[in-house]
Amino acid sequence: MPKLTDEQLADSLAMLAGWEVEDGQITKTYEFGSYLSGVDFAVALANEAEDRDHHPDMTITWRKVKVSLSTHSEGGITEKDTELASFAEGL
């Protein structure tokens, strides 16, 4: 799957509230009411990522989960990343 063009990426991010480009990845930090709610979110996203064979980087801290997505095999951001970000938004 090819990397998204700058225009494609901008169009995708316009539909993904709070997602930003950071160091060649799209990222968002989610905030939760409790630590365990954040862990539950991370587990749900990890299960979907496993099914898709496309794994995000996630950092879990107290009541926050930072998700970072890029397609390492393509050397940048692809539709796989924006699709998984869209799934995360649905959680």
Side-chain angles (χ1 to χ4, degrees):
M1 182 168 288
K3 290 190 324 186
L4 296 177
T5 66
D6 290 342
E7 184 177 326
Q8 290 170 321
L9 180 56
D11 289 346
S12 293
L13 290 179
M15 295 184 288
L16 293 168
W19 285 84
E20 301 176 332
V21 176
E22 181 180 300
D23 297 325
Q25 302 178 67
I26 56 172
T27 67
K28 181 174 181 176
T29 299
Y30 291 89
E31 295 190 30
F32 299 92
S34 70
Y35 176 76
L36 287 179
S37 294
V39 171
D40 289 342
F41 166 84
V43 169
L45 185 56
N47 283 321
E48 181 67 20
E50 186 68 14
D51 288 345
R52 294 178 187 222
D53 193 30
H54 188 63
H55 305 94
D57 292 331
M58 290 189 276
T59 304
I60 301 170
T61 58
W62 184 71
R63 295 178 27 173
K64 293 183 182 180
V65 177
K66 181 178 181 179
V67 180
S68 302
L69 290 158
S70 69
T71 305
H72 303 289
S73 62
E74 295 297 331
I77 302 164
T78 70
E79 196 172 310
K80 286 182 176 183
D81 304 306
T82 57
E83 288 174 352
L84 191 56
S86 181
F87 177 83
E89 288 299 295
L91 292 174

